[in-house]
Amino acid sequence: MRITVCLSDNNRPEPWVEGLRRELPQAEIQIWTPGAALADHAVVWAPPQQFLDEQQQLRGLFNIGAGVDALLNLRLPPHTRIVRLDDAGMSVQMVEYVCHALIRHFREFDVYEADAREGVWSYRRPRARRDFPVGVMGLGVLGERVGHAIAQFEFPVQGWSRSPRQIDGIRCFDGDQGLDGFLAASRVLVCLLPLTAQTRGILNRETLSRLHGGRPGGYLINVARGAHLMEQDLIPLLDAGQLAGAALDVFASEPLAPEHPFWRHPKITVTPHASARTQREESVAQIAAKIRALEAGADFDTLPGVVDVQRGY
Amino acid sequence: MRITVCLSDNNRPEPWVEGLRRELPQAEIQIWTPGAALADHAVVWAPPQQFLDEQQQLRGLFNIGAGVDALLNLRLPPHTRIVRLDDAGMSVQMVEYVCHALIRHFREFDVYEADAREGVWSYRRPRARRDFPVGVMGLGVLGERVGHAIAQFEFPVQGWSRSPRQIDGIRCFDGDQGLDGFLAASRVLVCLLPLTAQTRGILNRETLSRLHGGRPGGYLINVARGAHLMEQDLIPLLDAGQLAGAALDVFASEPLAPEHPFWRHPKITVTPHASARTQREESVAQIAAKIRALEAGADFDTLPGVVDVQRGY
């Protein structure tokens, strides 16, 4: 069995090759170069089209992230299946990011810190958590865990997904017909959707204005993909007070350009796509386990994280 | 039955009186003034000694907070029992405060925000949560819940209490003989102790230097009482790098004086005793339920939150 590794965007391939060699000592594992021998499986991040054009024998295309939108824009070899990471240490990081942003906004710890810089000892009037219902868009592995974590902090939680779900402690909405009710019932919106043709631009002036029944004071946390947000719609909503703030980890173009107005807007918290970093050790172990299962005869459709290309995730 | 309300420190008594009247329509409820009629129960926050000297018939002294150290410095009437609030909406706030401070430090979100102010897109190397074991001092209602919440974020958690405890998911230490092991095993220290003669000054140069086996990089979160910390010991430990930072909500003297060096130290986050505010509605309901139980013949020792004056909490 031959495995090739093809990572772009400053991801060093060597540690992945070493990790895979330890996990799969029988396999021949190489960093891809143009013209390399045909491999059975590939471990990739945003590979070039040339890679896929050459590697026509690929069975498994293992993405070292949870979002596979970059792969779906490429032409795949005829029998290739895409497999995304399935948690692998990412969900706890995502939960941390979202809980930190939510608590910071709800408890106004940012305001307390600004007061502290001025040496001001001043209470804020406590806010009721029943006035801060949280809506989680996307109820995959990450979204469901984030929803449960928020519920532990006693916020009302609702979720929205493409197909109907039933999850204890989360009021679930689904599909186009469920979106209105979901937005009306949510003051804080957490986006954890996959990026597909249906979800691109779903965070826009119209949807964000419908948060919490159209009342001002909504809050946006986007940890999915920058293209979910119509970026030009955000600042007018913030400046009008319709939204109280936003915590953004992802952007239409990354890295965010130094002159982008998001950086210094007082109601926007920018982080550099750091909400959930791939944990190499756990990811290597997960990918290796899936490859071992396939080589032992398992069908792709029995593996967690196999992508439905039509659906887009 | 007569109930008197005596609140200092800017706590307005009127809403408490109104709430208690709604809950206990049979009772005569008044705001205390010097010379007032003797009451059976009192709802108090830091009352003056004169109040207790006059109210010699008091059975229940209901404190509108969880910490009762201020009451224990006073001479009580002969048959008075102190009852503290038992959660009443405070534990979830405490959990929020501690999780926010812990995540912010562990994930370096403070550093990301400083980068963002400069328009800098730069990853921090992720840190392993196994390198950030968290120790919770005090395993009462608040401490136990905080410990469980931290464990949900997959940090190793240990707890320390006066008497032995067994709690799922928390490695428990107890007593003087357990303190060494507890400190050595904790990198982040969360103080949720009651303030007693034994715990006063327990956060000092010697104990804080023993965190994480004496390695540098410890972190302190104090949400109990200011007098737990020897304040003059903190800044030298921070400046030497032995501690990486501290989140402090309580101080030896409150409000913290404008010239106090904690305000502007770059490694100290100051909040104005805001970690867990008393929720009036829930507190009134809890106190009224306890008074109803007592009037129906229940013994004090069957009520949650009754203080053992010898023990000090």
Side-chain angles (χ1 to χ4, degrees):
Chain A
M1 177 188 38
R2 192 177 285 130
I3 300 173
T4 185
V5 176
C6 178
L7 310 180
S8 64
D9 284 359
N10 289 326
N11 288 289
R12 285 182 56 232
E14 292 81 1
W16 290 86
V17 170
E18 285 161 29
L20 289 164
R21 282 185 181 149
R22 268 195 303 275
E23 289 275 349
L24 300 166
Q26 318 298 334
E28 188 185 321
I29 299 164
Q30 237 101 53
I31 298 170
W32 178 77
T33 49
L38 296 184
D40 305 288
H41 301 286
V43 174
V44 302
W45 182 253
Q49 181 63 52
Q50 184 191 354
F51 167 81
L52 293 168
D53 288 345
E54 288 189 19
Q55 292 287 326
Q56 289 289 312
Q57 300 299 316
L58 280 184
R59 297 176 59 217
L61 190 62
F62 292 86
N63 190 51
I64 65 166
V68 294
D69 41 287
L71 291 177
L72 295 175
N73 294 326
L74 300 170
R75 283 185 313 279
L76 299 181
H79 302 293
T80 301
R81 301 292 298 271
I82 298 173
V83 187
R84 56 183 161 79
L85 283 184
D86 177 49
D87 199 333
M90 279 189 295
S91 72
V92 65
Q93 298 178 68
M94 205 57 106
V95 168
E96 277 180 337
Y97 186 100
V98 172
C99 288
H100 175 269
L102 171 64
I103 295 170
R104 191 165 179 77
H105 175 64
F106 172 65
R107 294 291 298 273
E108 302 185 88
F109 287 130
D110 51 343
V111 182
Y112 279 120
E113 278 178 30
D115 281 352
R117 280 192 291 270
E118 306 298 320
V120 172
W121 179 280
S122 159
Y123 297 123
R124 315 281 307 165
R125 194 186 164 78
R127 315 199 280 189
R129 56 199 76 225
R130 64 174 173 270
D131 295 335
F132 280 78
V134 181
V136 178
M137 302 185 93
L139 294 172
V141 174
L142 301 179
E144 185 170 340
R145 182 159 176 191
V146 165
H148 285 307
I150 294 169
Q152 298 253 343
F153 290 105
E154 302 180 14
F155 292 93
V157 181
Q158 37 270 326
W160 181 75
S161 53
R162 203 177 88 124
S163 41
R165 294 292 307 275
Q166 279 206 315
I167 304 174
D168 269 358
I170 301 178
R171 186 176 163 209
C172 291
F173 297 80
D174 64 90
D176 290 342
Q177 79 290 351
L179 188 58
D180 260 352
F182 167 78
L183 292 170
S186 303
R187 177 166 179 175
V188 178
L189 191 63
V190 180
C191 181
L192 277 159
L193 289 167
L195 182 63
T196 67
Q198 286 75 43
T199 66
R200 183 176 293 273
I202 196 168
L203 307 171
N204 55 52
R205 190 170 61 83
E206 197 233 328
T207 54
L208 294 173
S209 297
R210 277 146 65 196
L211 283 178
H212 211 209
R215 283 179 291 231
Y219 194 85
L220 172 66
I221 301 173
N222 189 13
V223 282
R225 285 287 184 264
H228 285 120
L229 173 65
M230 301 295 281
E231 288 194 346
Q232 70 278 18
D233 289 359
L234 183 63
I235 288 180
L237 289 167
L238 291 166
D239 289 347
Q242 190 62 33
L243 293 184
L248 305 177
D249 189 49
V250 289
F251 305 91
S253 171
E254 296 179 8
L256 192 63
E259 68 277 10
H260 199 291
F262 284 177
W263 280 117
R264 286 175 190 79
H265 195 282
K267 295 182 178 172
I268 299 178
T269 303
V270 167
T271 48
H273 205 143
S275 56
R277 306 287 298 280
T278 298
Q279 305 278 302
R280 195 172 52 233
E281 265 178 60
E282 287 170 83
S283 304
V284 163
Q286 183 180 111
I287 291 169
K290 289 178 183 175
I291 291 176
R292 273 193 295 264
L294 290 168
E295 293 300 311
D299 189 83
F300 269 99
D301 293 316
T302 65
L303 299 184
V306 171
V307 172
D308 175 338
V309 172
Q310 290 309 311
R311 196 178 61 164
Y313 61 94
Chain B
M1 175 189 37
R2 193 177 283 129
I3 300 173
T4 185
V5 175
C6 178
L7 311 179
S8 66
D9 284 1
N10 290 326
N11 288 290
R12 285 182 56 234
E14 292 81 2
W16 290 85
V17 170
E18 286 161 30
L20 288 164
R21 283 186 180 147
R22 268 195 302 275
E23 289 274 349
L24 299 166
Q26 318 300 334
E28 187 185 323
I29 299 165
Q30 237 100 56
I31 297 170
W32 178 76
T33 50
L38 296 184
D40 305 290
H41 300 286
V43 175
V44 301
W45 183 253
Q49 181 63 51
Q50 184 192 354
F51 168 81
L52 293 169
D53 288 345
E54 288 189 17
Q55 292 287 327
Q56 289 290 311
Q57 301 297 320
L58 279 185
R59 297 175 61 216
L61 189 62
F62 292 87
N63 191 52
I64 65 165
V68 293
D69 42 289
L71 290 177
L72 295 176
N73 294 326
L74 300 170
R75 283 186 313 280
L76 299 181
H79 302 295
T80 302
R81 301 291 300 270
I82 298 173
V83 188
R84 55 183 164 79
L85 283 185
D86 177 51
D87 198 333
M90 280 189 296
S91 71
V92 64
Q93 298 178 68
M94 206 57 106
V95 168
E96 277 179 339
Y97 186 99
V98 172
C99 288
H100 175 268
L102 171 64
I103 295 170
R104 192 163 177 80
H105 175 63
F106 172 64
R107 293 291 298 272
E108 302 184 88
F109 287 131
D110 51 344
V111 182
Y112 279 120
E113 278 178 30
D115 281 353
R117 281 192 289 271
E118 306 300 319
V120 172
W121 178 279
S122 157
Y123 297 122
R124 316 280 307 165
R125 194 187 166 78
R127 314 199 282 188
R129 58 198 76 225
R130 65 173 173 271
D131 296 334
F132 280 79
V134 180
V136 178
M137 302 184 94
L139 294 173
V141 174
L142 300 180
E144 185 170 339
R145 182 158 174 192
V146 165
H148 284 308
I150 294 168
Q152 298 253 341
F153 289 106
E154 302 180 13
F155 293 93
V157 181
Q158 37 271 327
W160 181 75
S161 53
R162 202 178 88 123
S163 40
R165 294 292 308 276
Q166 279 206 314
I167 304 173
D168 269 357
I170 300 178
R171 186 176 161 209
C172 290
F173 296 80
D174 64 272
D176 291 342
Q177 78 290 352
L179 187 58
D180 259 353
F182 168 78
L183 292 170
S186 303
R187 177 166 179 173
V188 178
L189 191 63
V190 180
C191 180
L192 276 160
L193 289 167
L195 182 63
T196 67
Q198 286 73 43
T199 65
R200 183 176 293 272
I202 196 168
L203 307 172
N204 55 51
R205 190 171 62 83
E206 196 233 327
T207 53
L208 294 173
S209 298
R210 276 145 66 196
L211 284 178
H212 212 210
R215 282 179 291 232
Y219 193 84
L220 172 65
I221 301 174
N222 189 14
V223 283
R225 285 290 183 262
H228 285 122
L229 172 66
M230 302 295 280
E231 289 194 346
Q232 71 276 20
D233 289 358
L234 183 62
I235 288 180
L237 289 167
L238 291 166
D239 289 347
Q242 189 63 32
L243 293 185
L248 305 178
D249 189 49
V250 289
F251 305 91
S253 172
E254 297 178 6
L256 193 63
E259 68 277 9
H260 198 291
F262 284 177
W263 281 115
R264 288 178 186 78
H265 194 284
K267 295 181 177 172
I268 299 178
T269 302
V270 167
T271 48
H273 204 142
S275 56
R277 306 288 296 280
T278 298
Q279 305 278 300
R280 194 172 51 234
E281 265 179 60
E282 287 171 84
S283 305
V284 163
Q286 183 180 112
I287 291 169
K290 288 179 184 175
I291 290 176
R292 274 194 295 264
L294 289 169
E295 293 299 311
D299 188 83
F300 270 99
D301 293 317
T302 64
L303 298 184
V306 172
V307 172
D308 175 338
V309 172
Q310 291 309 312
R311 197 178 59 164
Y313 60 95

